[in-house]
Amino acid sequence: MDTGCLSSMNINGVNQARSFVGQFPTQKCFASSHHASFAVKSLVVRNKGRRSHRRHSALQIVCKDFPRPPLESTINYLEAGQLSSFFRSSERPSKPLQVVIAGAGLAGLSTAKYLADAGHKPILLEARDVLGGKIAAWKDEDGDWYETGLHIFFGAYPNIQNLFGELGIEDRLQWKEHSMIFAMPNKPGEFSRFDFPETLPAPVNGIWAILKNNEMLTWPEKVKFAIGLLPAMLGGQPYVEAQDGLTVSEWMKKQGVPDRVNDEVFIAMSKALNFINPDELSMQCILIALNRFLQEKHGSKMAFLDGNPPERLCMPIVDHIRSRGGEVRLNSRIKKIELNPDGTVKHFALTDGTQITGDAYVCAAPVDIFKLLVPQEWSEISYFKKLEKLVGVPVINVHIWFDRKLKNTYDHLLFSRSPLLSVYADMSVTCKEYYDPNRSMLELVFAPADEWVGRSDTEIIDAAMEELAKLFPDEIAADQSKAKILKYHVVKTPRSVYKTVPNCEPCRPLQRSPIEGFYLAGDYTKQKYLASMEGAVLSGKLCAQSIVQDYSRLSLRSQKILQSEEVPVAS
């Protein structure tokens, strides 16, 4: 185990309310007659009841951090660092490209950051008034933050880890002990742990963690599970890719893995990875995760960001972009991609009537948003047509502030193994900025959320409380006769990461499109990681790399367009 160390941080509570009003078109997403905001527009529901009363004086906060694991020597970290160095060491352009990027989530921010590192001028446009996309967060009238999701940073995220280092903010990750902790539905209030020993290398440390856990699987089940995984271990990446056509449940049946392995482990894992159950999730997704997390000694080690993502992660990227001559503009929503007669992009038309022109264009919005923006002239091109298969999955993130400090929790991410909840954490313990010595704030991911995203906030909170009563039987009752709710926030994202069902992999597009000068970035695009923060950052790097590699052609194209505009028209 790591030896814990103490760190402190001063936080000033500021009573600043942030409101979010979406402008994007809506469509019917639910079986009912109600309309729901589409795609990245999150529906934020605020509690109108009691509010917590927080002191707005400076708080001295002391939290336990574990040392940052030594990641720098891993192959994936070195490869990610080498890709980063490509931009810093590339030949400086004689005339920087002006690259217009739509979407300031991690994919768009990453694209702009690395283009700026290569000497080009990104113009990053964000539709909303907040940075981060799927990691966006808002501050309420009490000065408390609520987020789009529960975000975990793994040791197996090499591009994310390099990014933190390049920005000089590595100390903003709060590393937790190397464990995976599961609630025990048949033993309310109890947990089962998979502890990874520091003295063993990968994958032995992971195997040891599994073998030492006797509460979730029996020895015969472990043996059958191991035998089922042998083809994946021996077949490598080609085998992993070949499993895209099978769901997790289908693969397990084919390999003779007992059903209890699915019930005890893979339901929780599937919901944590893609917010859906094993009978829908592609087995390739599970195998990619296992490969990444088990092949590196610290791959499955987790860290929490020490505060809200827009300020603690996104703003340092924005500052970096601006320091190198780039621009970042909020409240700049794309209305239409206007084309030239030859089918290339003429400009991005914004909802406020302005037109943004560049030497190259990038759409870094979620796939559901981009599909609505695809020009009719492009719709029959295979590259764009295949995107129809990629559809975002609904996600609900719930925050509940209680009137007391809950005891049956950990300074860690917890797998609830609940029918309704995926993972949760007591953010008043795990995160410095959210620290509270007297009250707990649970952040919970509702998944699968298909049947819930159209329901009222009251229904969602009532259902969450029923599940929490099983996890905290001595402290929480569904009727609030024990711990009482001070306030809550419900954040709905009707279309989040793309739903990784079988046969999606061939539909994921490369970052360089067949349209000259037009590119895509986003965790749904082709890259070796999952639909995740790591996948988003890597997609942005690959997108920026494609643009830098295309510099000569893009520069020449811009010169020709400029010359054609300067040719006088005959009278």
Side-chain angles (χ1 to χ4, degrees):
M1 287 294 165
D2 291 320
T3 303
C5 62
L6 296 178
S7 64
S8 64
M9 178 180 182
N10 283 317
I11 293 177
N12 291 307
V14 181
N15 188 8
Q16 176 186 351
R18 180 184 296 272
S19 63
F20 160 59
V21 180
Q23 302 283 334
F24 210 82
T26 61
Q27 78 168 36
K28 288 187 179 180
C29 298
F30 315 121
S32 70
S33 62
H34 298 295
H35 281 65
S37 299
F38 188 73
V40 77
K41 175 186 165 187
S42 297
L43 303 179
V44 182
V45 183
R46 296 200 183 116
N47 175 39
K48 297 180 181 178
R50 290 166 292 189
R51 299 176 183 172
S52 66
H53 300 285
R54 291 185 59 181
R55 294 174 301 175
H56 295 295
S57 58
L59 293 175
Q60 180 69 25
I61 293 177
V62 179
C63 293
K64 185 177 182 181
D65 292 341
F66 285 79
R68 181 180 183 275
L71 305 171
E72 290 78 6
S73 60
T74 63
I75 293 174
N76 287 326
Y77 185 93
L78 293 171
E79 286 180 353
Q82 188 174 18
L83 182 53
S84 293
S85 68
F86 164 82
F87 301 101
R88 297 189 298 269
S89 61
S90 62
E91 184 178 351
R92 297 298 91 177
S94 55
K95 186 173 186 278
L97 295 173
Q98 184 164 287
V99 183
V100 184
I101 306 165
L106 282 179
L109 288 164
S110 174
T111 304
K113 189 264 186 195
Y114 291 105
L115 282 173
D117 285 349
H120 297 288
K121 184 184 178 182
I123 302 176
L124 183 57
L125 309 174
E126 168 53 44
R128 303 190 291 182
D129 64 349
V130 61
L131 297 164
K134 297 185 190 78
I135 64 167
W138 299 267
K139 184 181 284 189
D140 68 14
E141 59 270 21
D142 300 317
D144 293 311
W145 287 89
Y146 51 101
E147 306 180 2
T148 309
L150 185 52
H151 310 293
I152 305 299
F153 298 81
F154 288 93
Y157 282 2
N159 290 283
I160 286 273
Q161 299 302 333
N162 269 272
L163 178 62
F164 272 83
E166 292 159 24
L167 298 170
I169 57 172
E170 289 172 304
D171 61 341
R172 297 187 183 185
L173 287 177
Q174 292 183 250
W175 290 94
K176 307 305 178 183
E177 59 185 322
H178 199 171
S179 302
M180 299 183 76
I181 306 173
F182 291 76
M184 300 290 287
N186 57 329
K187 298 178 181 179
E190 296 186 23
F191 297 86
S192 180
R193 299 170 61 102
F194 291 88
D195 295 318
F196 294 72
E198 289 298 313
T199 54
L200 297 177
V204 180
N205 63 342
I207 295 172
W208 180 265
I210 294 170
L211 294 178
K212 287 288 288 183
N213 183 299
N214 295 315
E215 295 139 343
M216 291 175 67
L217 298 177
T218 65
W219 273 97
E221 288 166 344
K222 293 176 188 177
V223 171
K224 289 180 181 178
F225 180 33
I227 293 172
L229 280 176
L230 274 178
M233 291 184 244
L234 298 174
Q237 191 62 25
Y239 177 86
V240 171
E241 293 176 359
Q243 307 316 301
D244 183 47
L246 296 174
T247 66
V248 176
S249 299
E250 289 169 343
W251 179 89
M252 292 178 61
K253 186 175 181 179
K254 179 182 175 183
Q255 296 302 116
V257 178
D259 290 341
R260 253 182 46 84
V261 175
N262 182 62
D263 298 339
E264 295 295 311
V265 177
F266 283 114
I267 289 178
M269 193 171 181
S270 297
K271 286 165 51 166
L273 287 172
N274 198 237
F275 313 114
I276 57 179
N277 282 315
D279 58 348
E280 290 187 280
L281 184 68
S282 166
M283 187 61 195
Q284 185 193 42
C285 182
I286 292 283
L287 292 176
I288 288 173
L290 289 175
N291 185 42
R292 299 285 176 249
F293 293 159
L294 296 180
Q295 293 304 317
E296 296 180 18
K297 180 175 179 178
H298 304 286
S300 57
K301 193 163 190 177
M302 305 178 204
F304 284 70
L305 192 62
D306 67 358
N308 71 89
E311 291 183 350
R312 301 299 289 170
L313 174 55
C314 298
M315 271 312 299
I317 305 176
V318 169
D319 293 339
H320 182 93
I321 294 166
R322 287 173 173 164
S323 71
R324 283 157 175 75
E327 299 179 39
V328 180
R329 307 177 189 175
L330 298 179
N331 299 304
S332 300
R333 188 179 296 275
I334 304 296
K335 180 181 180 181
K336 188 177 182 182
I337 300 174
E338 296 281 3
L339 304 183
N340 292 308
D342 65 355
T344 59
V345 179
K346 182 178 182 181
H347 58 249
F348 281 173
L350 305 189
T351 54
D352 64 3
T354 60
Q355 299 172 351
I356 309 296
T357 304
D359 301 304
Y361 300 85
V362 177
C363 186
V367 65
D368 295 283
I369 292 283
F370 175 62
K371 286 191 291 187
L372 294 179
L373 292 171
V374 173
Q376 182 63 36
E377 294 88 333
W378 295 356
S379 59
E380 294 305 312
I381 299 174
S382 175
Y383 176 91
F384 300 104
K385 195 171 182 61
K386 288 192 296 185
L387 297 178
E388 294 174 6
K389 174 80 173 177
L390 305 180
V391 178
V393 63
V395 178
I396 300 173
N397 206 46
V398 177
H399 311 69
I400 303 177
W401 283 259
F402 288 97
D403 65 347
R404 67 195 66 184
K405 201 72 175 174
L406 300 172
K407 299 174 183 178
N408 192 37
T409 187
Y410 287 86
D411 180 10
H412 213 295
L413 178 76
L414 300 169
F415 293 83
S416 74
R417 301 174 73 211
S418 149
L420 294 180
L421 305 177
S422 169
V423 292
Y424 69 98
D426 186 344
M427 299 298 283
S428 69
V429 174
T430 61
C431 177
K432 291 177 182 177
E433 186 175 17
Y434 304 159
Y435 175 81
D436 190 322
N438 302 313
R439 301 179 183 88
S440 285
M441 188 276 272
L442 294 186
E443 187 170 341
L444 314 113
V445 179
F446 231 76
D450 301 68
E451 298 179 4
W452 289 89
V453 75
R455 298 197 191 184
S456 70
D457 53 322
T458 303
E459 289 178 288
I460 291 169
I461 292 298
D462 288 346
M465 285 294 288
E466 287 185 14
E467 294 303 309
L468 289 175
K470 300 171 188 174
L471 296 169
F472 298 83
D474 297 328
E475 302 177 85
I476 295 178
D479 62 0
Q480 295 190 54
S481 58
K482 297 176 183 177
K484 293 178 172 51
I485 297 176
L486 293 175
K487 67 175 181 179
Y488 58 79
H489 290 292
V490 173
V491 182
K492 299 178 181 178
T493 306
R495 293 289 183 267
S496 182
V497 296
Y498 80 93
K499 196 173 185 178
T500 313
V501 295
N503 301 312
C504 273
E505 194 63 26
C507 302
R508 298 176 71 182
L510 295 170
Q511 287 75 31
R512 182 188 285 112
S513 87
I515 306 299
E516 187 174 42
F518 183 76
Y519 304 80
L520 291 178
D523 58 14
Y524 70 93
T525 62
K526 197 75 172 178
Q527 40 82 20
K528 64 180 182 179
Y529 287 87
L530 306 169
S532 60
M533 293 185 291
E534 171 68 12
V537 170
L538 177 55
S539 78
K541 293 174 84 169
L542 294 174
C543 180
Q545 183 185 43
S546 297
I547 294 171
V548 172
Q549 291 171 340
D550 295 346
Y551 169 70
S552 296
R553 188 166 72 250
L554 293 170
S555 182
L556 181 62
R557 178 174 172 273
S558 293
Q559 289 176 19
K560 288 180 179 178
I561 292 174
L562 186 61
Q563 289 170 0
S564 66
E565 291 174 347
E566 292 175 349
V567 174
V569 179
S571 58

